[in-house]
Amino acid sequence: MKQETDLTDGCARIDMHVHSKYSRRPSQWVLQKLGCPESFTDPLSVYRIAKARGMTFVTITDHNSIKGAEEIAHLPDTFISEEVTTYFPEDGCKVHVLAYDITESHHKEIGKIRENIYDLVAYLNQERILHVIAHPLYSLNDRLTLAHFEKMLLIFPFFELNGARDVRQNQVLREVFAALTPARIEQLAGKHGIEPVGACPWKKYVTGGSDDHSSLNIARTCVRVDRAHSYGDVLKGIRTGRAVIEAEPPGPLTLAHNLYGIAYQYYQDKFNLQRYAGQDPMMRFLERSLTSEAREAEAGLLTRIYSYWSHRRRPKAETEISQSLMDLLRQETLEMLQKNPDLLHVATQPVRGVSQEQEHRWFDFVNRISNRVMYSFANHLTDHLARGNVFNIFHTIGSAGGLYTLLAPYFVAYSHFTKDRAFNADVRNRFAPSAPLDLYPLDGMKMVHFTDTFHDINGVAKTLQQQVEIAKKTRKQLTVITCESQQSPEMQGVRNFTPVGVCDLPEYPEVKICYPPFLEMLDYCYNEGFTHIHSATPGPVGLAALAISHILKIPINGTYHTQLPQYAEYLTGDEAVADLTWKYTLWYYDQMDFIYVPSKSTGDELIEKGIHPEKIRLFPRGIDIEFFHPRRQNGLLKAEFGIDEKSMKLLYVGRVSTEKNLPLMVSAFKNLLREKPDLHLVVVGEGPYLKEMRKALADLPVTFTGYLKGERLASVYASCDLFVFPSTTDTFGNVILEAQASGLPVVVTDQGGPKENMIPAKTGFVVRGGDEKNLVQAISMLVDDPKLTKAMGAAARSYMENRSFEQAFLRTWEMYEKPNVPEARFAKAG
């Protein structure tokens, strides 16, 4: 007869939910893909590890199996249990029920009736078997509803605080149980026609278990029962509400670490990888990180020779991406182990259980490896794109699929921990709406805005910077995420991630494509608990936003503010490139729940290209009407640039580049000077066309100020006479608002968004895009009639006084919160 531990202190601990290799059918797709079981832990290992980690008693709860528990049943301090899969017969909603201290006869009968949860519970009650509803707020087959949870409250006295689920679920359960009353149970019984179980069915009791599948987290969550001298006393303590749950809260890093551990243990067994642990530094590191009982093989001369040889044979950075992902991983891992003593330290230390520190260390390891691999992939991809190597492009994309597989456990883990948050919030609001909001601290919408152009010199960046300031002022929960290589001062409400790598664009030298550290961004967004994602870019940062949205089940909207296909054609002169850019742009924005456009013409263009009109939203734009103001005129142009105050000053502000149609403006200005020599052109900005434009206008009354900001920019606006903007590619044109707020009439084209931000023939003129003669005529009308210029300037200022930036921001925020209200919907022009 087996012996039980003598509990002289009367304090017992047990992990009530642990799996062994007899839990064979994995629920996570990443394990299904590998073809490995849900757990790969030997039952004897479960016993040894649980005991080593302080558990007084040990039981195994495999899915619909007692084989694991039977294998250790001869050992002291054990009893037989299982986790039963059952269903609500009315709709097939799947749930798990833990049954403790059962016999083989019980197990056989359970197997016959387990398809119907009501029959199962009736049998367990009849046999006086302690049974607990496992992870009751986690939907196993996406059918769990409030009605199912209400029925659980009627038929189960015991609920599990699960050690592998979102800690919010356990918090909600405690809040619900604290709020239950006899009247509430009676109301639910009448609603569902179910007789409540128990003498006091409004009183619920809890158990706890790690729900471990990899051996890494055994005993991380457990039950402690004081004054218990046998496992019978422990079960009795649970029945009488004396159980205390001891837990180290899990998170996505916990689950991902477990998934890597299961996969590694599967391959370790399948290919006998342990024999390499003493020879291969990478394998030794993996064994130390992903198992609980690693061999203590000492690294001798052979290991050092192998490590030296592996390092020497590592190809240089220019190695082709055609090598396998595993080769690349091996190279990067060996280099990292050599450069990072802390990781080498892990590979040489005995295993002593798993902690949050180890999970973070594994996360950092995978993050660093994936960043290095991603950088290599991205560089080869952009190189093939630049050279037009189409087949190599597809090969590189195919190789990137291996990277996706490498990171899949983290994608699964973060999705797993967020997928039922909405349901949990509904449960909480139904049963405990007045409970403290410590784990649900969201008061309204919490927005994260992804952009790759926050610190740049352009209208989009300036708008985002203003939004951050207004959000702080109005106490809106807005965070901007960006990924820029330049060192910028930290700002409240802005999180800049250091890019994995940077790609320069020869045609657009001041713009750099940054490859974002995806795992770091994902982890940040999960921990911050954002409710909405907004993407201001379809670039790599925008792709990260889209992926995070899908993984964390967060709605995502996007702003289409740059006509990328038109820019691509301007910069390359290749219609095929523009067509390819259009296809990608439309694919990206079609993934959004809603697309916010700065002008009706931009929205119409997207609709004509195939975007559904119901997705389009026109958002208001505003300006700082106190900063940009006619009173800013202070003689700066004469004092700093020597411009005659009596001359008629034409102003352009923006990127100095060909896609802004500046060659047309150069020609038009030369023609104007032939009849109007008192004109002076002021160009504010920088860009690739600047050198050529200077040369084209040499010895003419033209001043190039370079990039200006702040008071100097506002002063230049207010000190000029009219604003000329010949671009046909701008979706909005924030400079149009700045000019009008400064009291200047504007001349814009009939293509793009700028024309929608002025009043034709009242605050300026609209000319045909690309028509030099029409442009010259419009400017001439203003130059020849100073009274008209002054009147239009006054009308422009008056028009802008109703478009303050704060008002526009608050209206936009309301649209984000309520995108489906009729007034938010887009109406096609005309």
Side-chain angles (χ1 to χ4, degrees), residues 89-108:
E90 52 267 36
D91 53 18
C93 176
K94 181 196 293 187
V95 294
H96 288 164
V97 176
L98 296 158
Y100 297 106
D101 194 20
I102 61 175
T103 65
E104 185 175 355
S105 176
H106 289 142
H107 167 68
K108 289 179 179 179

Side-chain angles (χ1 to χ4, degrees), residues 28 164 217 251-260 409 412-414 416-417:
Q28 305 297 346
N217 290 295
L253 272 58
T254 309
L255 176 58
H257 192 210
N258 271 266
L259 292 174
Y260 283 107
V412 169
Y414 282 100
H416 172 93
F417 269 76

Side-chain angles (χ1 to χ4, degrees), residues 163-184:
R165 300 300 191 274
D166 186 0
V167 67
R168 292 169 175 83
Q169 295 185 18
N170 296 337
Q171 175 73 8
V172 168
L173 283 176
R174 289 186 181 277
E175 292 170 351
V176 169
F177 298 159
L180 283 179
T181 63
R184 192 59 185 271

Side-chain angles (χ1 to χ4, degrees), residues 543-614:
L543 287 173
L546 181 60
I548 290 170
S549 165
H550 286 304
I551 292 170
L552 299 184
K553 310 297 188 296
I554 303 175
I556 181 170
N557 300 320
T559 304
Y560 181 73
H561 54 66
T562 302
Q563 291 181 306
L564 293 174
Q566 290 89 330
Y567 271 53
E569 186 168 1
Y570 262 109
L571 295 172
T572 65
D574 191 333
E575 291 185 7
V577 172
D579 183 60
L580 185 63
T581 307
W582 260 123
K583 289 179 180 177
Y584 168 73
T585 300
L586 293 171
W587 170 84
Y588 179 80
Y589 282 100
D590 205 32
Q591 310 304 306
M592 305 291 109
D593 296 314
F594 297 100
I595 306 164
Y596 290 83
V597 295
S599 62
K600 287 188 177 295
S601 63
T602 304
D604 290 340
E605 183 179 36
L606 291 178
I607 292 171
E608 289 170 5
K609 292 290 185 179
I611 297 294
H612 198 283
E614 284 296 313

Side-chain angles (χ1 to χ4, degrees), residues 12 53 82 185 361 418 489 516 538 585 630 748:
R53 295 178 185 173
E82 71 174 311
I185 291 295
R361 188 159 50 209
T418 56
T585 300
V748 301

